[in-house]
Amino acid sequence: MRLSYLWIFNLFSGCFNLNLPGLGLVDYCISESEFSVPCKSYVDLYVNRLNSEKTLIPYEYHHFDFCPTDESDSPIENLGQIVFGDRIRPGPYAIDFLKNETCKQACTRRYLGGDLESEKRLTPLMQGISLNYQHNWIVDNLPVAFCYEFYALRRPYCSYTGFPMGYHPESSDDSYPMSARYMKSGFYYPFNHVDLIITYQSGTSEEWDTEFGANLGRIISVKVRPRSINHRDPYNLDCNVNAELLAIPTEPLEQGRKLNITYTYSVTFVRDNSDKWSSRWDYIVDSLPYTKIQWYNILCSLVVVLFLSGMVASIMLRTMHKDIERYNRLDVQQEIFGWVSLHGDVFRPPRYGMLLAVLLGSGIQVFGMALVTFVFAGLGLLSPANRGSLMSCLILSFGFLGTPAGYISARIYKSFGGDQCMISVLLTSTLCPGIVFSLTLAMNAILWIKTSSGAIPISTLFSLLGLWLCGSVPLTLLGAFFGFGKSVLELPVQTNEIPRQIPNKSICMHPISGIVMGGILPFICIYIQLYFALNSIWASQMYDIFGFQFSIFLILVITCSESTILLCYSHLRAEDYRWWWRSFLSSGFTAVYLFGYCCHYFVTKLDVQDVASTILYFGYTLIVVFLFFLMTGTIGFLACLWFIRKVYSHIEVGEKQKISAIYKS
């Protein structure tokens, strides 16, 4: 019973963005009893999972034998956080508001050479340093930003969130603290000391300062500078900048040799009233140099859209209008040719119509999921401050959009003349979601074997399975019930009993050529966005410009529609009426280019070194590519269906078909 309540809470927390820690604005003070307003005298520091670009397997904080934490006081995570692998735990660092600390001890971890238990704890720490695992800390719902010094600039520089757990000269990046130049090869240097710089705001007006004083404030930013310090005496700590570095040899510890790692921290509070609390995320987001690139991408995409729109308008208003007028003036004895001659075959049901209807239903479900998510994100409801809300929205919207999926699938299948309604409905509700769930389960098995924090717990898997079987499937059945209850789609022309012979075509007009060309222009419109999206997923970079994303999404929809219409028209002019599958596959072929770009990103941008991470990358990539294929294919199909119904509705074929049949007989 408790698990069911927890699952329901997780679902609603994903929808309404309830997220701990940091539900909203928090006031901090030195003494809670001194002020009439609610305030906290201590600052909570939470630790999250550690991740690396060299291996795509995240681990929890305790996996690397850092200072122990009290996991019983961990915040409740929503559905999206659990699926995405977030594991937020209270940190071992005690911080009191406005109380500066200098070289305060958190704990000391002791190791002994030759002791199996010590080696078991020390080995993951050294492996994590060599694989460049990154800490992800949270203070007042803000990610702690990593600040270091460039060799050339000689001044601090704050990059995106996350900071390394240590330094290994043979495998680490050069962009590390200045002390890295003194680190020798053959050693691991764990960053066991952190300097936390907490910037706070103690008032936005003189009235506020007069009423509450300077001892009441709100946190604006949190920055960290990690260092490696060899604290030889835990009772006499020295955190000087020029302190001796803590070096751990790469070889196993000698028999009986003792190694102590003392974790320390310093806290400095800095008052700054120049920034507003509402814009405190700007220093993190603005540090990412992609705004100009996004505008360039949108402008290029708009040029492509305008070009395609001009071509479609030219076809609709000039070429096809003239063809229709010419046909309507023809005598019944005159032979017709081109796309007009296909009026008796253009709506002939395709082969494997049930499969096409099933894919279209799932494609509508994915399209609705993307649209709902972009709308909520554009309204600011899925900001980075609401961790896990984006994934929660994707999962829940997909589950509850089963009704339009079943409705569209049923209407299309009924228009094809299908009579196996129950099989069609069951496939719509189980085929595509089953493929995604099976791939997720396979990837999860690898994470289980690796004891990774990214592994979805069994209880959450059953929750997702219940959401699918008890939520999405019944809603799909409901939609199919209404879909089959509707009349067949009204077609503007009748279909002949005998299929028309399709003439021989050139290589350029071959169906495969059209399918391959169909995805080029839509991919061009989104390929710049893909780099930042993949960085956000695999490189843990912040990416929250949902306005740009929604603009590109709309451009993608328009481009898929218009490019499919142009290809459909070119094949109809060649007197090839087999447009059903071709319209779906030509637009859906954009997913193939997406997969190719993901392969390019894996080879050129990531430094993955193990087989498990490679399988994980391509496994999750296949899930995204498959869903993208369903969405883009459905967009192209519906656009082509609208186009063909529109143009053939202007052809006067009723009486001409009867007179032509009498004349030929």
Side-chain angles (χ1 to χ4, degrees):
M1 183 65 69
R2 182 178 180 272
L3 288 177
S4 62
Y5 287 139
L6 180 61
W7 178 63
I8 294 173
F9 177 81
N10 285 336
L11 292 183
F12 280 97
S13 65
C15 275
F16 297 103
N17 301 310
L18 297 175
N19 182 62
L20 295 174
L23 290 175
L25 187 148
V26 178
D27 289 325
Y28 293 93
C29 56
I30 295 180
S31 176
E32 298 179 7
S33 60
E34 182 180 349
F35 299 95
S36 58
V37 296
C39 60
K40 293 175 61 176
S41 60
Y42 58 91
V43 179
D44 291 320
L45 187 150
Y46 290 87
V47 296
N48 202 349
R49 61 171 184 169
L50 285 85
N51 54 277
S52 171
E53 295 182 23
K54 295 186 177 181
T55 174
L56 306 180
I57 303 175
Y59 287 103
E60 286 199 54
Y61 185 78
H62 63 75
H63 177 81
F64 298 100
D65 195 45
F66 297 124
C67 293
T69 60
D70 184 12
E71 298 188 5
S72 62
D73 195 28
S74 301
I76 299 177
E77 294 159 339
N78 59 44
L79 181 63
Q81 288 176 298
I82 297 174
V83 172
F84 198 69
D86 283 349
R87 300 295 182 264
I88 300 177
R89 304 288 183 259
Y93 305 96
I95 304 174
D96 294 323
F97 184 65
L98 294 187
K99 183 180 180 181
N100 294 336
E101 300 285 357
T102 303
C103 205
K104 185 175 181 180
Q105 181 177 351
C107 72
T108 299
R109 310 300 288 170
R110 307 180 189 278
Y111 306 93
L112 180 63
D115 181 62
L116 295 179
E117 193 273 337
S118 294
E119 293 180 357
K120 185 179 179 180
R121 291 187 292 115
L122 185 60
T123 300
L125 180 66
M126 294 189 294
Q127 290 177 347
I129 295 174
S130 63
L131 293 174
N132 193 24
Y133 269 88
Q134 305 281 315
H135 284 282
N136 293 283
W137 290 2
I138 304 168
V139 173
D140 194 43
N141 205 30
L142 274 174
V144 178
F146 173 33
C147 296
Y148 54 90
E149 296 185 359
F150 267 129
Y151 294 153
L153 297 178
R154 298 281 179 173
R155 61 178 175 82
Y157 171 78
C158 293
S159 69
Y160 49 86
T161 60
F163 63 95
M165 59 181 290
Y167 184 82
H168 186 224
E170 284 82 359
S171 58
S172 297
D173 199 295
D174 292 334
S175 55
Y176 279 97
M178 290 287 290
S179 57
R181 64 171 61 184
Y182 306 110
M183 298 179 181
K184 302 178 181 179
S185 60
F187 293 91
Y188 295 103
Y189 296 89
F191 291 154
N192 58 326
H193 176 83
V194 290
D195 293 311
L196 293 169
I197 300 95
I198 302 178
T199 304
Y200 71 99
Q201 177 191 67
S202 64
T204 56
S205 64
E206 295 182 358
E207 291 78 7
W208 199 52
D209 283 338
T210 303
E211 182 179 358
F212 300 115
N215 294 332
L216 182 72
R218 299 161 186 167
I219 294 179
I220 301 298
S221 67
V222 184
K223 303 173 184 177
V224 62
R225 297 179 188 174
R227 289 189 284 141
S228 177
I229 300 177
N230 186 10
H231 298 290
R232 294 186 177 274
D233 185 2
Y235 302 101
N236 187 18
L237 302 175
D238 180 16
C239 298
N240 191 279
V241 177
N242 299 320
E244 179 185 358
L245 302 179
L246 175 60
I248 304 176
T250 55
E251 297 82 8
L253 294 177
E254 300 176 358
Q255 185 73 25
R257 179 182 174 182
K258 295 181 180 180
L259 173 64
N260 296 331
I261 301 180
T262 300
Y263 291 91
T264 57
Y265 63 102
S266 299
V267 181
T268 303
F269 284 88
V270 179
R271 184 182 181 186
D272 185 2
N273 289 342
S274 60
D275 296 327
K276 295 182 179 180
W277 185 90
S278 58
S279 60
R280 61 180 188 158
W281 282 79
D282 292 352
Y283 81 99
I284 297 175
V285 177
D286 292 344
S287 63
L288 303 177
Y290 49 53
T291 304
K292 293 183 179 180
I293 299 176
Q294 300 295 341
W295 282 114
Y296 172 77
N297 184 21
I298 290 179
L299 290 176
C300 292
S301 301
L302 285 176
V303 170
V304 174
V305 169
L306 292 175
F307 171 73
L308 290 176
S309 300
M311 294 186 66
V312 171
S314 176
I315 291 174
M316 295 287 290
L317 299 177
R318 297 183 58 186
T319 307
M320 302 199 77
H321 183 70
K322 291 181 179 179
D323 290 344
I324 292 172
E325 287 186 347
R326 187 184 304 112
Y327 170 77
N328 291 333
R329 290 196 302 265
L330 288 177
D331 187 74
V332 294
Q333 301 181 14
Q334 293 179 287
E335 184 178 1
I336 57 176
F337 56 89
W339 66 271
V340 184
S341 64
L342 302 179
H343 59 76
D345 297 273
V346 71
F347 290 105
R348 188 175 302 281
R351 299 177 62 186
Y352 311 109
M354 180 187 293
L355 178 60
L356 179 58
V358 168
L359 296 179
L360 289 172
S362 298
I364 285 292
Q365 200 169 3
V366 177
F367 175 79
M369 174 189 71
L371 182 61
V372 169
T373 303
F374 276 122
V375 169
F376 281 125
L379 295 175
L381 301 177
L382 305 179
S383 66
N386 299 310
R387 292 174 180 82
S389 58
L390 183 64
M391 181 62 70
S392 298
C393 187
L394 288 171
I395 295 173
L396 295 176
S397 58
F398 182 84
F400 290 117
L401 285 173
T403 301
Y407 180 82
I408 294 296
S409 177
R411 291 296 306 275
I412 297 295
Y413 183 64
K414 187 176 182 179
S415 300
F416 291 160
D419 54 359
Q420 296 177 323
C421 303
M422 186 55 64
I423 297 177
S424 173
V425 174
L426 292 177
L427 286 177
T428 303
S429 58
T430 58
L431 179 61
C432 296
I435 292 175
V436 173
F437 189 81
S438 300
L439 288 173
T440 303
L441 198 61
M443 300 302 103
N444 208 56
I446 297 176
L447 294 173
W448 276 336
I449 295 173
K450 295 290 185 178
T451 64
S452 169
S453 65
I456 304 175
I458 293 291
S459 59
T460 306
L461 280 176
F462 278 110
S463 299
L464 294 174
L465 187 62
L467 179 64
W468 172 27
L469 299 180
C470 301
S472 179
V473 172
L475 289 175
T476 305
L477 295 175
L478 180 63
F481 173 78
F482 289 108
F484 284 118
K486 289 283 186 178
S487 59
V488 180
L489 287 175
E490 183 179 352
L491 302 178
V493 292
Q494 296 180 354
T495 302
N496 298 332
E497 295 183 1
I498 301 176
R500 180 186 180 91
Q501 185 177 1
I502 300 174
N504 295 327
K505 299 177 290 298
S506 62
I507 297 178
C508 295
M509 298 305 299
H510 195 274
I512 297 180
S513 301
I515 291 172
V516 172
M517 291 187 296
I520 295 178
L521 291 179
F523 175 76
I524 291 175
C525 294
I526 65 170
Y527 84 98
I528 294 180
Q529 292 285 331
L530 291 178
Y531 174 78
F532 300 105
L534 292 175
N535 273 349
S536 176
I537 296 173
W538 302 115
S540 300
Q541 290 190 8
M542 193 70 64
Y543 185 53
D544 69 331
I545 46 175
F546 296 112
F548 285 111
Q549 289 180 325
F550 187 59
S551 302
I552 295 298
F553 175 74
L554 294 179
I555 291 174
L556 173 67
V557 172
I558 297 173
T559 308
C560 286
S561 303
E562 294 179 341
S563 60
T564 307
I565 288 174
L566 290 174
L567 287 172
C568 184
Y569 173 72
S570 63
H571 285 94
L572 290 178
R573 288 201 63 183
E575 300 185 4
D576 188 351
Y577 55 84
R578 298 171 300 182
W579 64 272
W580 301 94
W581 273 106
R582 189 178 300 149
S583 62
F584 184 87
L585 295 176
S586 61
S587 182
F589 203 81
T590 310
V592 178
Y593 294 108
L594 171 62
F595 181 77
Y597 185 86
C598 291
C599 295
H600 169 75
Y601 180 87
F602 178 82
V603 174
T604 59
K605 301 299 180 182
L606 296 180
D607 188 20
V608 175
Q609 301 176 352
D610 60 308
V611 177
S613 297
T614 303
I615 296 175
L616 288 173
Y617 178 86
F618 285 101
Y620 287 121
T621 297
L622 284 176
I623 294 176
V624 175
V625 168
F626 177 64
L627 295 177
F628 191 79
F629 167 74
L630 294 176
M631 184 184 71
T632 53
T634 301
I635 293 170
F637 176 88
L638 295 179
C640 197
L641 176 62
W642 171 85
F643 170 76
I644 291 179
R645 291 185 64 188
K646 189 72 174 178
V647 297
Y648 279 97
S649 64
H650 292 82
I651 298 179
E652 300 173 1
V653 298
E655 293 298 326
K656 283 193 175 185
Q657 282 181 326
K658 296 179 181 178
I659 298 174
S660 178
I662 295 174
Y663 176 81
K664 290 181 180 179
S665 62

